[in-house]
Amino acid sequence: MYWQLLGNERSKDECTLAKKLDQILVIDIEATCWEGSPPPGEKNEIIEIGICTLDIAAGERLEKRSILVKPERSKVSEFCTKLTTLTQEQVEQGISFAEACSILKEEYGSQERVWASYGDYDRQQFERQCQYRPNIYPFGTRHINVKTLFAIIHLLPREVGMAKALELLDMPLEGTHHRGVDDAWNIAGILSELVLKRRC
């Protein structure tokens, strides 16, 4: 029942409902950012897509992966590097955003599976970057906002950040915070706890 906490309902004419309920794709992105306003002509763009697949039946994390994405309209700032550890040189070796979306669709079946992120930023950023190329949008209609779900299930007065949620669950933050691949792994751990506890 609590799986209805999801965002982004589209019409049935636009895309079919998620059909594969064996795994949840947990996604965390990193994007170009600046301490203040972006330089003239630059916009936030995804530079890393972190993926962690969560087996629903077992509640276990199966794998994690990082896809680096080469930005087209922005550069990685010093502030962005301090936050994410990613440099312009690293993302220059990445693939195009369209190619990254194709990997999600073809290798992970992202249009047929439920996907999740911590908060709504990731979903909104994907939609912004696909605004003029809607055919490359890699997801279907079912999105779980783990941040909201966690707050509701734990009866919190407000939503909390990922690190705080891990602390409340007495779980370690594994890897580097603000790296998509590690955050996706940690978010999947939070979601796994919520899935397993709801079965008790």
Side-chain angles (χ1 to χ4, degrees):
M1 180 173 66
Y2 68 100
W3 296 116
Q4 296 304 316
L5 265 179
L6 36 56
N8 197 30
E9 281 281 69
R10 298 184 177 187
S11 73
K12 292 181 181 178
D13 292 334
E14 288 179 293
C15 47
T16 58
L17 301 180
K19 295 178 181 177
K20 294 184 179 179
L21 297 176
D22 56 334
Q23 298 175 3
I24 296 173
L25 299 179
V26 180
I27 303 292
D28 185 84
I29 63 168
E30 302 304 328
T32 50
C33 56
W34 303 270
E35 193 162 13
S37 300
E42 295 195 29
K43 296 182 178 180
N44 298 97
E45 292 180 280
I46 293 171
I47 53 175
E48 182 188 20
I49 301 173
I51 307 165
C52 181
T53 51
L54 177 66
D55 181 272
I56 295 176
E60 294 180 354
R61 294 173 285 189
L62 301 179
E63 64 169 318
K64 65 177 181 177
R65 179 177 180 181
S66 170
I67 300 175
L68 293 184
V69 180
K70 183 178 180 179
E72 300 173 357
R73 299 181 178 180
S74 60
K75 298 289 185 182
V76 176
S77 66
E78 183 179 345
F79 172 79
C80 186
T81 297
K82 286 181 180 178
L83 183 68
T84 68
T85 75
L86 291 168
T87 65
Q88 181 66 30
E89 291 71 27
Q90 284 176 295
V91 300
E92 284 287 341
Q93 304 304 311
I95 60 177
S96 72
F97 178 65
E99 289 175 295
C101 289
S102 292
I103 289 173
L104 288 170
K105 289 188 281 189
E106 294 168 14
E107 297 186 25
Y108 293 90
S110 59
Q111 290 186 311
E112 297 178 303
R113 286 195 167 99
V114 177
W115 72 289
S117 62
Y118 202 83
D120 218 24
Y121 171 78
D122 304 74
R123 179 182 66 80
Q124 292 173 349
Q125 183 62 36
F126 266 102
E127 290 184 347
R128 278 191 289 268
Q129 285 196 223
C130 293
Q131 185 176 1
Y132 301 108
R133 296 179 292 175
N135 59 305
I136 71 171
Y137 185 74
F139 302 110
T141 60
R142 293 295 185 256
H143 172 254
I144 298 171
N145 184 331
V146 181
K147 189 175 188 179
T148 301
L149 185 63
F150 181 86
I152 289 174
I153 288 178
H154 286 270
L155 302 177
L156 301 179
R158 62 183 180 278
E159 296 174 343
V160 297
M162 184 199 77
K164 182 63 176 178
L166 288 168
E167 181 185 328
L168 292 172
L169 291 172
D170 198 26
M171 294 174 64
L173 194 161
E174 299 181 52
T176 301
H177 196 12
H178 298 303
R179 272 304 304 267
V181 62
D182 293 328
D183 283 355
W185 178 261
N186 287 304
I187 295 162
I190 294 169
L191 186 55
S192 175
E193 283 290 309
L194 299 180
V195 170
L196 293 177
K197 287 182 177 179
R198 291 301 92 191
R199 294 176 184 167
C200 298

